[in-house]
Every structure is written in structure tokens, then in C-alpha cells.
Amino acid sequence: MDSEKELLKQDLNKQESPEDVKQFIEDAKLLGHEDIAELGQQKLQEILSKAENIEKTSESQKSQVENMDGSNDEVEKRTQDIDKKIEEVKEESIKEIEAVQNEKKEINRDLLKTGSVFNFKTSNGDIIEVKLISEVQKTNEPTPREYVRVKATQGTLETDVVINDLIEKKKEESFKETENPTPNSPEVSEEQKQQAEKIKQLNAEMTELLNEITSTMPSRLNQVINSESYRKLISLNEKRNNEEKELFNIYNRYTQGHDSYRRSFSTHGLDNSDYQYIEDMKTAGASSEILKRFEEFKEKFRKPEKIADDIYREDYSKIINEDRWKFERTVADKSKEVFGEDSAGRDEFQKKYFDAYRNNFSKAYNDTIPNENLFPNTMGTIYS
Amino acid sequence: MTPQEQAQKIEEIYNEAIKKLTELEKERKGIIGGYIKELEAQKIDVIRASILENK
């Protein structure tokens, strides 16, 4: 099994190039040594940089040597021993810092309880999250080692791990990743426990409110589809669609072979281009009766449909949306109170409930009125 | 070793390394300075010899 020590050693040995330094930091971060890794890297970089500057003979010195008819090869020869010592200081510093970073971070024994969550580096190098499923036990070896039984929080892996191979998770990470941190969980502070308790209460409150609204969704959906405004809108919508189809067929029939002026006729095309279509029809030799159908279309169908749509949307808002908006406002206000400055936590909380509302509504819709179209294609369309 | 102790130890190593490097830097500059002085002295010797020759 790879240990933290081996990993850090490997990376530190290579860290003279920027890529290796970067890799070293990334790996160290994974192991929960972010601060130490950064400090070590920063200090080593400063040492290496200073050493590099010292080993270089300055341009002014080179120039002085040349002006005096001296040789820079002679300078190199004379500074050889010092340069060797500089190299030694570099290597020594790398080794010493490596040794400090490889010091095993003492694990907080208070956390070694069943249910606590740690990271663990597997033999193939993956970092996985594991949960302790046993108390600390000792091996039967002459020099007993302490180990615990762990289970991966995701997947099926279950194994014994020597306690020093467990990697403590950072507190904020544990807190964020745990949706409802247990107030008694050992890895959270007192303040976090209180916050966790508040979130727990808010979750309970919002869940109750969501359940209450969800339970009335089927009846409210039925109320919508049985409303007079919905029925009228659907009826007008169907008639208008049929008329549009007929007009399209007529337009198509008359204008075939006249591609030079023919427009791409569509039901949406009738919106602002009626006049153009009528002109096309005239050019194509349509009768006055046919032209009248085009001219009257707007007044006959689309304006009444727009009015019906407005009335329906008002009813829909009252029956469906008002509760939804009330729910979303409550979630937003309450989560603001509880999460305060933690905007990420607040957003996540709100999203959870907003998504839950949408999912519940979709389910209620599919269960209650699967064949009804609550949003006929007039919805949101502006007819003048 | 706690992270604080690790950080302190790294600081100590760093300070010690910088101290050593600063000394080596002075030493290196001194070596080059010494070489330049040698060259100057050689030049002066050449000039002096030249003056003496012309006398």
C-alpha cells in the first residue's frame, strides 16, 4: 500500500521543475496537507531561486573580468568549489523539508469512532472516502498495529486499514459534504453543530411545507383543466390550428411553381407577415373569397385566442403558481436567515427545494392529467 | 508532529539555508573580486614594467 510518506517523497524528489512542483502540490492537497505542502513548496522555490542567482556570475563581474583581459573559464574554475557547496545546500534543504513533510500527521484519536468519515488512499492510488464501521482494534503481531474496519461511502469496498493510513478530511469539507451533519458527529465544532441543527430544522420545516403543497397538486391540476378559461382556450386553439393548416395548404397549392416570391409559410409565419402572404396569393391568382379567409384570419381566431390565453393564464397563476411562489419565497427567506453569509450553502439548499417542487409537480401532472396540454402553443405568444 | 510544528520546522530549514547561501554568495563574490584584483594587479605590473622599460 502506498503511504503518504512514499507519495510525498516521490513528488518532492522531482519538484525542481514547475510541472513537478504543481503535481506535488496537487497530491499533497489530496492528502490533506494543503498548508504544509504550500509552505514547503514556497520555501523550496525561494531557496532554489536564491541558489540559482548566486551560481550565476553577474554581467558586471563578467564585464570587469573581460576588461582586465581575464577569462570567464577561470572564474568558473575558481568558483567550482563554492558552486558545489551551493548545490549541497540546495539538496540538503530539499531533503530536510521532505523529511518534515513526510512526518506522519498524527491522527486525531477522538475522530476514530464508528461512523466517522475519512479519506483513504487505495493501493492503486485513488483517494476514496470511507466510513469507520468498527472501533480501533490491534493486530496480533509482536509489535501490534492499530487498525479499523472501513467501508467506502460509495461502492462496495470494505477493508481493514491501519489507522495511520487514514487521512483526516478537512472540517469544512466534511461539513459541506454531509447534507445533514449529525449534531453528535465528532468531526464538527460546536458552532457547526448548532448550524447543522438549524439546517436540520429548516429541512424539516420546508419538507413539511413541500409535502403539504404537493398533496394538493392533483386537485389543483384538475381545477385548472376543468376551468372555463382553459376549455375555451383549448377549443379556440384547436380551431385556429385547423384554420392555419387549411390556409397553409391553400397557400402551398397556389404558390407552387412560383418559388421566386414564395415565402416559407408556417403557422408562426402568419404572425406579422399576413400582408405579405396575401400579396403572394394575389400574385398567384387566388380568388377574392380565398383572400378574405387570409385577411379575416387574425380577427377571427388569433385575437380571441390571445384574450382567452390572458384569462387562462390569470386563472392558472391563481390556482397553481401562487402556492408555488409562496413556497419559493418561504424557502428563499428562511434559507437566508439560516445560511447568512454562506451563499453557496443557501443556493444549494434553495435549489434542492425548487427542484423538488418541479419534480413533484411533474409527477402530479403525469399522474393526474397525462393527456392534457396545460401549455397550448398560444401560451406566451403575443398577438397584436 | 502537528502541522504547526511542521510549518515551524520548515521555516527553520529555510532560514538556515538562506543564511548558508548568503554566506556562500559573499564567498563567491569575494573569489571573483579577488580574481579581478589579481587581474588589475597584473595590469598594473604590465604598465609599470612598460614604464620602467621606457625609462
Side-chain angles (χ1 to χ4, degrees):
Chain A
M1 182 194 304
D2 285 347
S3 68
E4 285 176 80
K5 189 173 179 175
E6 283 159 350
L7 185 84
L8 284 166
K9 194 174 176 182
Q10 279 170 17
D11 292 330
L12 270 164
N13 281 339
K14 295 177 197 166
Q15 71 170 346
E16 285 187 47
S17 75
E19 291 76 19
D20 291 332
V21 168
K22 195 175 168 193
Q23 184 60 47
F24 163 74
I25 296 167
E26 287 307 311
D27 287 343
K29 275 180 184 173
L30 279 174
L31 291 166
H33 284 259
E34 194 171 354
D35 296 339
I36 296 301
E38 275 178 17
L39 180 68
Q41 184 265 333
Q42 182 201 330
K43 295 299 176 188
L44 272 174
Q45 281 296 84
E46 286 177 33
I47 292 167
L48 298 179
S49 169
K50 183 163 176 74
E52 198 183 325
N53 283 335
I54 297 169
E55 283 173 319
K56 274 185 202 160
T57 304
S58 71
E59 287 305 313
S60 71
Q61 283 178 322
K62 277 185 190 173
S63 163
Q64 280 182 64
V65 168
E66 282 162 12
N67 288 341
M68 296 288 167
D69 298 327
S71 144
N72 279 313
D73 287 345
E74 181 64 20
V75 173
E76 271 185 34
K77 201 176 151 190
R78 289 184 182 214
T79 55
Q80 217 171 31
D81 289 347
I82 291 288
D83 289 346
K84 211 179 268 179
K85 283 183 188 171
I86 293 169
E87 283 301 311
E88 282 169 14
V89 173
K90 265 165 64 175
E91 281 168 22
E92 206 177 299
S93 304
I94 291 171
K95 277 182 191 165
E96 285 179 2
I97 290 180
E98 174 191 10
V100 173
Q101 290 185 312
N102 286 346
E103 276 283 339
K104 196 77 195 176
K105 193 178 165 188
E106 283 172 26
I107 201 145
N108 181 352
R109 299 190 75 87
D110 290 343
L111 301 182
L112 293 170
K113 288 176 182 167
T114 306
S116 293
V117 178
F118 286 83
N119 279 337
F120 166 61
K121 191 171 169 57
T122 63
S123 52
N124 62 9
D126 294 334
I127 303 282
I128 58 163
E129 190 185 73
V130 292
K131 191 180 262 191
L132 270 56
I133 55 170
S134 79
E135 297 298 323
V136 178
Q137 298 167 70
K138 283 184 181 175
T139 59
N140 294 324
E141 296 161 318
T143 315
R145 288 182 300 162
E146 291 180 303
Y147 70 97
V148 284
R149 188 85 181 155
V150 299
K151 190 176 186 316
T153 55
Q154 288 182 340
T156 53
L157 177 78
E158 189 179 317
T159 185
D160 290 330
V161 176
V162 174
I163 60 167
N164 285 334
D165 288 334
L166 291 170
I167 304 158
E168 269 180 46
K169 287 173 76 69
K170 283 179 290 188
K171 280 184 180 171
E172 61 272 23
E173 191 185 343
S174 316
F175 186 64
K176 270 184 190 166
E177 286 175 2
T178 312
E179 199 170 286
N180 293 314
T182 315
N184 295 327
S185 175
E187 71 262 35
V188 294
S189 68
E190 194 52 44
E191 196 184 330
Q192 284 176 322
K193 279 181 196 170
Q194 286 173 5
Q195 178 67 356
E197 190 55 44
K198 279 186 195 170
I199 296 170
K200 195 179 167 187
Q201 281 172 10
L202 184 62
N203 266 311
E205 200 182 328
M206 294 303 102
T207 303
E208 196 185 332
L209 187 58
L210 177 65
N211 288 342
E212 197 183 303
I213 291 171
T214 304
S215 68
T216 63
M217 280 175 184
S219 66
R220 284 186 288 125
L221 283 163
N222 276 319
Q223 199 184 332
V224 166
I225 60 154
N226 290 320
S227 67
E228 198 185 325
S229 60
Y230 177 73
R231 287 289 151 208
K232 187 166 186 183
L233 177 65
I234 291 295
S235 163
L236 277 169
N237 186 251
E238 282 169 4
K239 282 180 190 165
R240 193 259 299 159
N241 277 336
N242 290 337
E243 180 69 359
E244 275 186 347
K245 272 177 205 159
E246 279 186 40
L247 290 180
F248 168 75
N249 289 334
I250 293 167
Y251 182 83
N252 201 32
R253 201 164 59 238
Y254 271 89
T255 57
Q256 260 172 5
H258 298 277
D259 288 347
S260 56
Y261 63 81
R262 189 179 173 197
R263 284 156 186 81
S264 176
F265 191 99
S266 72
T267 49
H268 302 295
L270 276 172
D271 190 9
N272 292 316
S273 314
D274 299 355
Y275 181 74
Q276 295 295 326
Y277 291 119
I278 293 164
E279 284 303 300
D280 293 347
M281 294 294 291
K282 276 182 190 168
T283 312
S287 68
S288 57
E289 205 177 315
I290 297 287
L291 291 174
K292 205 177 169 194
R293 278 183 77 175
F294 278 82
E295 282 163 356
E296 287 180 349
F297 175 78
K298 188 184 274 183
E299 294 299 319
K300 194 175 171 186
F301 293 101
R302 293 197 289 154
K303 272 193 178 175
E305 194 184 26
K306 164 72 173 82
I307 294 164
D309 184 46
D310 284 346
I311 296 169
Y312 167 68
R313 280 196 282 172
E314 221 171 279
D315 286 349
Y316 181 88
S317 281
K318 276 184 198 153
I319 300 166
I320 303 287
N321 281 342
E322 274 185 12
D323 270 4
R324 177 188 179 166
W325 294 331
K326 197 175 152 190
F327 172 71
E328 289 187 349
R329 265 200 308 276
T330 310
V331 171
D333 292 346
K334 297 257 180 182
S335 60
K336 205 175 171 186
E337 278 172 30
V338 170
F339 285 91
E341 297 293 308
D342 177 12
S343 58
R346 189 185 64 223
D347 291 349
E348 199 183 328
F349 184 88
Q350 289 178 5
K351 188 179 179 300
K352 186 172 86 173
Y353 282 95
F354 295 169
D355 287 350
Y357 177 92
R358 277 194 292 276
N359 290 338
N360 291 2
F361 184 78
S362 294
K363 191 176 181 305
Y365 176 85
N366 289 327
D367 291 348
T368 318
I369 47 166
N371 300 319
E372 293 286 344
N373 180 10
L374 281 180
F375 309 102
N377 65 7
T378 54
M379 291 281 280
T381 309
I382 297 165
Y383 295 126
S384 55
Chain B
M1 196 184 279
T2 66
Q4 287 78 9
E5 286 167 340
Q6 282 180 302
Q8 198 183 337
K9 190 75 189 158
I10 288 171
E11 281 289 345
E12 282 170 17
I13 295 164
Y14 168 78
N15 291 337
E16 187 60 27
I18 293 295
K19 195 175 153 190
K20 280 182 191 169
L21 288 174
T22 307
E23 281 166 13
L24 290 170
E25 184 181 21
K26 277 183 197 165
E27 212 174 313
R28 196 178 193 277
K29 277 184 180 168
I31 289 169
I32 299 171
Y35 177 50
I36 291 169
K37 275 185 182 167
E38 267 181 42
L39 292 172
E40 277 174 350
Q42 280 172 18
K43 262 214 156 162
I44 290 166
D45 283 348
V46 170
I47 293 165
R48 191 179 289 145
S50 158
I51 291 167
L52 289 172
E53 263 178 33
N54 289 335
K55 271 192 174 177

